[in-house]
Each structure stands twice: as structure tokens, then as C-alpha cells.
Amino acid sequence: MAIERTFSMIKPDATKRNLTGAITKMLEDAGLRVVASKRVWMSRREAEGFYAVHKDRPFFGELVEGMTSGPTVVQVLEGEGAILKNREIMGSTNPANADEGTIRKVHALSIGENSVHGSDAPETAAQEIKYWFSDTEVVG
Ligand code: DAT
Ligand code: MG
């Protein structure tokens, strides 16, 4: 499998509980390398733009509220099959369904406060990295 890059976020529910290091360690222990990282407090406009694909879903308002409620750590992760590997270590969207040992099983509070984001495909990974980072901010 090829070396890939994927986009990851440590969401406000997690940064507020001081879990940035604990979650980053789980990503690193899974073989992923942090090649870009910054802490942002998203504006409503940024959150709505990032999650535009979900704009007609009933939970969109709650999602934007949560993402603008505190700091988020946005990251680019690199590694062998990084996109799928990150989804695996994250666990299911609803932590109640997440496998043992996954980030969401260990740390998430609910489906809405599920601690992490990860791109789901090569196309979305490229788009999402570009949404938050310039080329010179990603240092492999
Ligand atoms: P994922 O983050 O696992 O890719 P997704 O893309 O389907 O999940 O949804 C994006 C985020 O929206 C998800 O991480 C949390 C929120 N969300 C999804 N379904 C929800 C629901 N039924 N109720 C509340 N929030 C939800
Ligand atoms: Mg998603």
C-alpha cells in the first residue's frame, strides 16, 4: 500500500478535556506521522464550509455549534494507507458502536461529541487538507 496523507481533527469536546496529547499518541502508536498541526477556533463560516456536505442533515446545527464551541487541533497525518488506517483507529461515528481500543470508544462522549474527524477517501482527504493548510505548512 502506498504512503498517503489524510486530514484529521481533534474536536472541541476533546481539546476541552485536555486530550490532544492522548489522542495524538494513539494516532502515532497506530503508525501515523503528524506532518502538519495547528490549533484553531473555527468561525461559524469555517465550520459550515468544512461540513457543507452535511448541510441538509438534521444534526447540522448541532454539529456547527459543537465545532465552534472551543479549540480544534487540525492535523495532516501521513503513513502507509493513512486514510483507512486513521478511520480504523478512530472507530465508528457513534462511540456506542466503536470497537474496543479505538479513539472514539476510549474518549468520545456521544455521536455528536465524538472527539475526532478523519477524511473518508482520497478525494476528501485532498480537499480537507487544502481547506486548512497551505502547501508550505505540511512538512513531511
Ligand atoms: P464521521 O465523522 O465518522 O465521518 P459523518 O461524516 O457521518 O461521520 O458525520 C460527521 C459528523 O457529524 C460526526 O462526526 C458527528 C456528526 N453527526 C453525524 N451523525 C450525527 C447524528 N445522528 N447526531 C448528531 N451528530 C451527528
Ligand atoms: Mg465523515
Side-chain angles (χ1 to χ4, degrees), residues 74-113:
V74 293
Q75 297 179 319
V76 180
L77 307 177
E78 186 178 87
E80 288 277 333
I83 298 166
L84 187 58
K85 187 176 279 184
N86 184 40
R87 292 296 307 194
E88 284 172 358
I89 186 65
M90 285 166 59
S92 293
T93 306
N94 185 346
N97 303 329
D99 288 343
E100 291 298 331
T102 60
I103 294 169
R104 283 168 165 168
K105 181 70 172 186
V106 174
H107 292 300
L109 301 173
S110 65
I111 190 167
E113 293 184 302

Side-chain angles (χ1 to χ4, degrees), residues 54 87 117 120:
H54 295 305
R87 292 296 307 194
H117 167 86
D120 57 13

